[in-house]
Amino acid sequence: TLALSGAATGTTLSLTGALTTSDVLHTAGVTSSAAVTITGTLETSGDATFGGTVTGAGAYVESSDETWKTEVEPVSATESLEAVMALKAVTYRWNDDAPNADKTLRELGFIAQEVRDVLAEPLQSAIVRPVDTEGHIGLTYSKISALLAGALQEQQRMIMELKDTLKLQQQLVDEQQKQMELHEERIRLAKLEKDELRRSIELHREKIDSIEKMHGGHFDFSSRMEKLEKSHEGQLEVIQQLLLDPVSIWTNARSKVGDRRGGDNSGGG
């Protein structure tokens, strides 16, 4: 166990026991298979490797200042979504060869080799990194959050596009519904007109029958009606004449009958 009460500065610090310090620890690299407890600040310009759990009470901050970056290239939201869809989450436990201290806890994450195989550059080299000189690889899980943001944006764009499509389709459905209601109303009105015309014809027939009964059947209006009904125009003519003056029709018919009888008598004399 190494306990420090003041500042410690070194090139590489390698421990098999615990490290405890309440001040600043400056080192080019840290490797520990036991607990590292720092209540001050850990500053390292190299790699820090821990075989156990890293616990902090403050925030873990990665450098991301624009002034420190060059060759900035955007990652499209579509590419982000495709990358996220290719990832396969798994649960697992570390085997005896792993440098991780806890072999019993079931972990959640990805298989680094599978992630490497599904990601294209430059995403692959940004997320998949070597962890030692023996060829083992690991993942920078924090960088996957950038892909998640892009994937979420792409899905939101697709959702909004679908909403616009559904809105347009609903407008078309509403318009078709209005047209159907208009056609139904026209059919209803046409049926009412048809029923009204049928009632009008029946009424006229009743008037004709009444006229024939009133005058003893001398005026065979039904025969004439049947002849005129053979054409639409003749039917309308009869209806119009009856509406104007049904008595005049009978009077004219009686007059014609009288003229025929007078002609027969004079011929006989």
Side-chain angles (χ1 to χ4, degrees), residues 13-19 30-37 48-52 99:
L13 179 62
S14 180
L15 300 173
T16 57
L19 169 64
V30 178
T31 301
S32 175
S33 59
V36 177
T37 303
T49 303
F50 303 97

Side-chain angles (χ1 to χ4, degrees), residues 65-269:
D65 195 283
E66 180 183 17
T67 60
W68 292 343
K69 297 180 180 180
T70 185
E71 299 181 8
V72 177
E73 295 291 339
V75 179
S76 70
T78 302
E79 185 178 2
S80 296
L81 179 59
E82 291 175 352
V84 170
M85 294 297 294
L87 299 178
K88 183 177 69 175
V90 296
T91 61
Y92 57 91
R93 278 194 294 265
W94 296 110
N95 60 29
D96 293 337
D97 296 331
N100 304 71
D102 193 342
K103 311 296 185 180
T104 60
L105 182 65
R106 194 154 192 87
E107 303 284 357
L108 170 66
F110 305 104
I111 303 299
Q113 284 79 1
E114 292 181 355
V115 175
R116 178 193 60 193
D117 294 341
V118 299
L119 291 184
E121 291 292 353
L123 301 181
Q124 182 189 110
S125 59
I127 294 176
V128 183
R129 301 286 182 88
V131 297
D132 57 27
T133 59
E134 298 178 359
H136 297 99
I137 58 177
L139 300 174
T140 55
Y141 279 91
S142 62
K143 297 184 184 301
I144 297 178
S145 61
L147 293 179
L148 295 176
L152 180 60
Q153 292 168 358
E154 176 63 11
Q155 286 188 332
Q156 187 62 31
R157 184 196 65 78
M158 295 169 64
I159 290 173
M160 296 305 297
E161 187 176 279
L162 288 174
K163 283 185 175 181
D164 292 339
T165 301
L166 289 175
K167 183 178 179 181
L168 179 60
Q169 290 178 345
Q170 186 61 48
Q171 290 175 349
L172 293 175
V173 170
D174 293 341
E175 182 63 27
Q176 291 176 349
Q177 183 65 31
K178 291 180 181 178
Q179 292 295 329
M180 290 177 61
E181 291 175 355
L182 180 60
H183 290 325
E184 289 176 354
E185 180 64 15
R186 289 175 177 173
I187 292 173
R188 187 185 68 82
L189 293 176
K191 184 178 180 181
L192 290 176
E193 292 177 356
K194 181 180 178 181
D195 294 341
E196 184 65 25
L197 179 60
R198 182 181 294 110
R199 287 193 295 268
S200 178
I201 292 174
E202 292 174 354
L203 179 61
H204 293 322
R205 287 185 180 276
E206 291 176 358
K207 290 182 178 180
I208 291 170
D209 292 340
S210 177
I211 293 173
E212 289 181 346
K213 290 179 181 180
M214 183 187 303
H215 298 282
H218 295 291
F219 178 55
D220 188 6
F221 198 87
S222 296
S223 299
R224 186 178 179 184
M225 182 68 177
E226 291 176 358
K227 293 179 181 179
L228 291 176
E229 282 181 346
K230 291 181 180 180
S231 66
H232 182 64
E233 295 179 355
Q235 185 180 12
L236 292 178
E237 180 182 348
V238 171
I239 294 174
Q240 290 173 355
Q241 290 176 354
L242 287 172
L243 288 174
L244 293 174
D245 191 359
V247 178
S248 297
I249 295 175
W250 179 84
T251 303
N252 291 335
R254 292 280 296 182
S255 176
K256 290 180 181 180
V257 171
D259 290 344
R260 286 199 300 270
R261 287 179 178 177
D264 293 338
N265 293 334
S266 60

